[in-house]
Amino acid sequence: MAESNVSGPGTRWRANLDRLGLQVPEVVAPVAAYLPAVRSGAHVYTSGQLPFVSGELTAVGKVGAEVSLAEAVLAARWCALNALAAVHALVGLDEVVRIVKVVGFVASAPGFTDQPLVINGASEFLGEVFGPAGAHARSAVGVFELPKNTPVEVELIAEVR
């Protein structure tokens, strides 16, 4: 198996979050029977994370109807931050070598086809936090409904030491 050619970000993630005016939040408590994150070998897999801030969803409804593109992009950023919280609680973000994959789900109104633009909110945020180690493979999927009527859900896979 080939080793990653991306050096770990070390403590830069903390300085980058500070620059963005953010902190790693507490892990959002599961709303069903699952763990927020699981480690298998050199990877941490997060469960899908919703855009909770202080226990409240940042938006509800479908993107392209009740939720604007701009609101959905911001929600995707919050989802990514919550995914990082799950990784941090399990292994610590200092152990992250790189973000490998992001999967984003977008509750879409009929005719809404800009799911990749919504999930750019998560992808660009991870780049801001980890620099080149935040670049990743990705899927952006439109769905009819998501839990709690949230417009966005994001999960990720992180390579760790």
Side-chain angles (χ1 to χ4, degrees):
M1 182 187 305
E3 292 291 317
S4 171
N5 63 357
V6 178
S7 299
T11 57
R12 290 185 307 228
W13 65 265
R14 194 178 309 270
N16 290 338
L17 282 180
D18 286 346
R19 180 179 48 77
L20 295 170
L22 298 170
Q23 297 178 24
V24 177
E26 293 295 318
V27 177
V28 176
V31 297
Y34 61 88
L35 297 171
V38 174
R39 181 177 184 159
S40 180
H43 294 92
V44 172
Y45 299 79
T46 71
S47 294
Q49 299 294 314
L50 306 182
F52 281 110
V53 176
S54 301
E56 299 291 326
L57 288 171
T58 61
V60 293
K62 291 189 174 34
V63 184
E66 302 87 0
V67 178
S68 71
L69 177 60
E71 290 169 318
V73 168
L74 183 58
R77 289 176 66 90
W78 287 115
C79 292
L81 182 60
N82 288 333
L84 293 182
V87 173
H88 189 60
L90 187 64
V91 298
L93 289 179
D94 286 332
E95 298 303 307
V96 172
V97 174
R98 73 169 306 147
I99 304 300
V100 176
K101 174 99 186 219
V102 169
V103 179
F105 302 94
V106 180
S108 303
F112 181 80
T113 60
D114 284 333
Q115 292 83 6
L117 296 179
V118 171
I119 304 306
N120 277 351
S123 294
E124 291 169 358
F125 174 74
L126 293 165
E128 290 177 272
V129 175
F130 291 111
H136 52 268
R138 188 183 88 181
S139 299
V141 181
V143 298
F144 186 69
E145 296 285 344
L146 285 169
K148 306 281 187 194
N149 197 28
T150 186
V152 184
E153 181 174 349
V154 171
E155 61 184 54
L156 62 80
I157 301 169
E159 179 184 353
V160 295
R161 288 189 246 301

